[in-house]
Amino acid sequence: MKRVVELPLWRALAGYRLLALGYALAVFGWENDGYSNRLLAGGYLLVLTVWNLLTLRKVSSAGRCTRRFLAADMTLGLAGVLLSPLADAHDRVGPTLPSIWIAGPVLACALKGGWRWAAAGSLLAGVANLLERGDVTRITVHNVLLVCVASVAIGYVVEVARASERTLARAWQIEAATRERERLARDIHDNVLQVLAMVQRRGTEAGGEAAELGRLAGEQEAALRSLVSSGIAPGTALPEGPPSGPSRAEPAGDAARDADAAPPPAEGDAADAERDLRALLAPFRGARTSFAEPGGPVPLPVPRAAELTAAVAAALDNVRRHATHPDGEAARAWILLEDEPDAVLVTVRDDGPGIPEGRLADAEREGRMGVALSIRGRLRDLGGSAEVVSIPGQGTEVELRVPKHV
């Protein structure tokens, strides 16, 4: 897993090492006459400069910063601290040969291994500084503690960031798996369940051996609905928002059969190709279904147009199956297509009896996922919304809004 949060820290470390090296070289140039062994001091700083330039890529990420490199880097820094008394025997210059560069290997340990590695690295640097001074002074202890606290804090922050990234990656995986299960369950609902329901109905009507086949189909439909509803938990897989779905008492239906009426996107259409939504919705027009459309084309990317058409088919299917007047007459339906600047709005309205209060929630618990999957799931995946307004005795209106582009 690529640790994005750490990348700025590694870049900052690389910059710090170069700046600290520049400071050590500036001190050497400014206090050149103060060294008792200028050859030793100059030779060490030359090696340190070459080492920094050759290993610049090593401090660009945790993967490149290997344990072997850390050991060599720390050894070079500690060697410079311990060689300082030989190069500055009279203590005229003051800082050690690597100066503040010694904090670089310690910080690298913090970024690579967390606060434990940081504590170990700062302990080694502190011991080297105490040995270089030859005694324990307040300033030396202060500097050692400062490096230790800073490196341990950075190491702890890095560990927290890594844990957060792992949690986020896991959440993304769960979300992706949930969406895939929803897609499969939606396909099952729009196709397999409708076929099983039709077989059960036709078999019962035919009687004889066909009735037994219908009974078995009914059992399989019930089992499959139970599987779908248990795999897609409404309380977890679906985000909070306004209720959405089709318009009838029992929100399930043969959306697949209505969807077949609309011409599917042509094979080979690119994902960024567009279709006129009017052509996809026009086949829904019938004896009891009216369709009102704008005067001009309503282009929409092919995948989005196909999903929106399937959602409209599911809403109309519920009108056909469940919106029946008390006298047995089927309800009429109206489809209104509107082209807005940034979105497409499709309204499906009928003059049926309306949806009884709580019926949508009861249907989901029974495994009838027409609302949750065929309409709500599709619109959510498209970044849109679905709203239902139902008045008992006056019909239901389903408003589907889809942005033209993500």
Side-chain angles (χ1 to χ4, degrees), residues 76-103:
L76 183 60
L78 297 179
V81 174
L82 297 177
L83 288 175
S84 296
L86 300 179
D88 185 18
H90 305 295
D91 198 17
R92 294 178 180 176
V93 179
T96 60
L97 288 176
S99 187
I100 59 175
W101 185 90
I102 188 61

Side-chain angles (χ1 to χ4, degrees), residues 1 18 89 92 113 115 120 199 279 329 346 367 372 383:
M1 179 183 65
L18 292 178
R92 294 178 180 176
W115 70 269
V199 172
E329 182 183 3
V346 180

Side-chain angles (χ1 to χ4, degrees), residues 1 165-181:
M1 179 183 65
E165 283 197 333
R166 288 193 296 268
T167 302
L168 182 59
R170 178 58 180 163
W172 283 341
Q173 293 174 357
I174 293 175
E175 181 182 4
T178 299
R179 289 187 179 274
E180 179 63 15
R181 286 197 300 269

Side-chain angles (χ1 to χ4, degrees), residues 3-75:
R3 296 167 176 172
V4 180
V5 177
E6 296 181 29
L7 292 181
L9 298 178
W10 284 104
R11 295 192 185 104
L13 175 60
Y16 173 83
R17 288 166 63 90
L18 292 178
L19 291 176
L21 174 64
Y23 175 75
L25 294 175
V27 170
F28 175 76
W30 186 265
E31 300 287 350
N32 186 270
D33 295 335
Y35 288 100
S36 58
N37 192 334
R38 284 181 290 179
L39 182 61
L40 176 61
Y44 173 80
L45 291 176
L46 177 62
V47 172
L48 188 64
T49 301
V50 174
W51 171 259
N52 272 268
L53 296 178
L54 293 179
T55 61
L56 191 60
R57 287 174 54 86
K58 289 289 187 178
V59 290
S60 61
S61 67
R64 292 174 177 172
C65 184
T66 62
R67 294 186 179 186
R68 181 177 298 179
F69 164 75
L70 281 179
D73 203 45
M74 181 63 72
T75 300

